[in-house]
Amino acid sequence: MTRRLVECVPNFSEGRRQDVIDAIVAPFRNTPRVHLLDYRADPDHNRLVVSLVGEPGPLQETLLQASRAAVARIDMRRHRGGHPRIGAVDVIPFVPLRHFTMEECVLLARGFARRYADELQIPVYLYESAAVRPEHRSLEQVRKGQFEALVSDGLGSESRAPDVGPSTLHPSAGATAIGARAFLVAFNVNLASGDLDAARSIARAIRTSSGGLPFVKAVGIALEGHGMVQVSINLTDYRVTSIHRAFAAVRDEAALRGIEVAESEIYGLVPAEALIDAARTSLMLAGFDASQVLDLRLLDLAGA
Amino acid sequence: MTRRLVECVPNFSEGRRQDVIDAIVAPFRNTPRVHLLDYRADPDHNRLVVSLVGEPGPLQETLLQASRAAVARIDMRRHRGGHPRIGAVDVIPFVPLRHFTMEECVLLARGFARRYADELQIPVYLYESAAVRPEHRSLEQVRKGQFEALVSDGLGSESRAPDVGPSTLHPSAGATAIGARAFLVAFNVNLASGDLDAARSIARAIRTSSGGLPFVKAVGIALEGHGMVQVSINLTDYRVTSIHRAFAAVRDEAALRGIEVAESEIYGLVPAEALIDAARTSLMLAGFDASQVLDLRLLDLAGA
């Protein structure tokens, strides 16, 4: 029995009000063929990141329900937080997981975007592999200037025009980016320092867009109340730039600035392979194969 | 949604007659929630070693079925083979794997031993972590003199008295050792040196028996043809002494002798948890939970 599974990691612009978080997450619980793997609300980012795995049909239904709950409760005109965002439902990426190709994921994302825009009357940008216009391929580009810029500039310009749905911004819920992409590892390195400029400078040094490591997005942010700054990293292809390579790059750049790493964190889910690669490096393992990992053998057997 | 998994490696005293081997292995195939990972029959040892992973309930049922098949077909009075043994079903070790503690494994082994002894009328020795008497803790001690010594000496002496079940030997099936132990990780560290004395000295420095790290067995050996020496390690409880701790100990001891580590290797299977722990350490991961590992979550879901 091949069960077609898609991962989805919708991000909602609420990381503080527990009742709102609960209302958004509720549809993801106890829905047959949809598994709520994880959800994390970050008060500094004022953002909720949900990790789901499910079959394409039921997954779309629950995403629409959760989005309605978010749109009814979040007003972007009053939203403040440390993470870039354009809407109450900020981004919905579909990730092919099991017995599902990237091409199928692109069709899924585009089809879902039409339903989403119709039912919620929210303009949608199709991004990454689901993009229909090259200028919307990059999520950074889509979110440039964030919700506030969409309000002030409007959606009239060629680069701002949405790909699906209404041609004007939803007054309170803004816009949404819907896409298809490979598995993303969210990895943050906290520095034993309050120097935000240093964190930003380290982020610039390691990220792809300014000539650093490939498939790395990074920003420096302050962790309010922790007396620390953070290099917040998205690894968009951990098979090219691994977690431990990104970690080493931050550690080395920090050392150049006389700053030590305090700790790191993986935000949300991570494929076992990415951690095994890190172990392989730190243990100087030679000739190691993932089929030696007992639990992964079991996963293959369980899926048979 | 957490799937509790136990590994079990039962050993049966039949490595030659294919029809008997098939009859013993049959219950392990196609049983829901029990996975037959591997089985190897050795004609010289005249012994069958089976590797299983399963949920505790179904695992016990299939073990009883397979044991009945073995007891009906194996007569220890006529059994000859190169491996120490005391019974048709010689040894059944339970190993905690996922969402299962050693304490739970001890209770599982003891509870299973009672059912096994009752249903099959075979005396049982509880060994390793499941032992109730210190003289039965070591499997070597339990098997001393083998089936033939149990026949000639009887079970009357204090050291021979079984822990569970009848006080006399089963005439054809002998006795069985049932225990609980940790997953054994075979981990070797190769040194960029041909100095065998150094490898032996490092092995002595890190192993439990000479005052080193707990749950570590280690010997220094020469790798013929590689111009290297190896510290060959068995980690008998990686939850106490982790792979990376053993690696760091070897690396540090080698450095004291002016020797560098060339590479390491894991021999055979390893639980994902052991590698994830290594990654956690090298990446300075804080607040990381194994439930964030996508593949392990899916493994749990596959069993739900």
Side-chain angles (χ1 to χ4, degrees), chain B residues 42-120:
Chain B
D42 185 312
D44 295 326
H45 286 178
N46 199 7
R47 189 176 184 83
L48 170 67
V49 180
V50 181
S51 290
L52 303 167
V53 172
E55 298 179 18
L59 187 61
Q60 292 180 80
E61 297 306 320
T62 56
L63 284 166
L64 286 170
Q65 287 177 52
S67 298
R68 277 187 220 106
V71 168
R73 289 165 179 82
I74 298 171
D75 188 339
M76 291 306 292
R77 292 166 292 198
R78 293 185 290 165
H79 181 273
R80 301 291 177 273
H83 194 289
R85 77 286 181 270
I86 55 170
V89 184
D90 188 51
V91 53
I92 303 180
F94 293 95
V95 181
L97 195 64
R98 290 181 54 73
H99 310 301
F100 214 76
T101 66
M102 178 57 83
E103 290 68 31
E104 291 172 310
C105 230
V106 165
L107 296 178
L108 172 63
R110 291 177 182 166
F112 177 76
R114 282 190 292 274
R115 274 195 67 188
Y116 175 91
D118 279 354
E119 296 194 18
L120 288 147

Side-chain angles (χ1 to χ4, degrees), chain B residues 263-279:
Chain B
E263 63 186 21
S264 73
E265 60 177 352
I266 288 172
Y267 196 81
L269 289 170
V270 60
E273 180 189 54
L275 293 178
I276 290 166
D277 279 350

Side-chain angles (χ1 to χ4, degrees), chain A residues 40-86:
Chain A
R40 279 154 198 256
D42 185 314
D44 295 325
H45 287 179
N46 199 8
R47 189 176 185 83
L48 170 67
V49 180
V50 181
S51 292
L52 304 166
V53 171
E55 297 181 16
L59 188 60
Q60 292 179 79
E61 297 306 319
T62 56
L63 284 166
L64 285 169
Q65 287 177 53
S67 298
R68 277 187 219 107
V71 168
R73 289 165 179 83
I74 298 170
D75 189 340
M76 292 305 294
R77 291 164 293 199
R78 292 185 290 166
H79 181 273
R80 300 290 177 273
H83 195 290
R85 75 286 180 271
I86 55 170

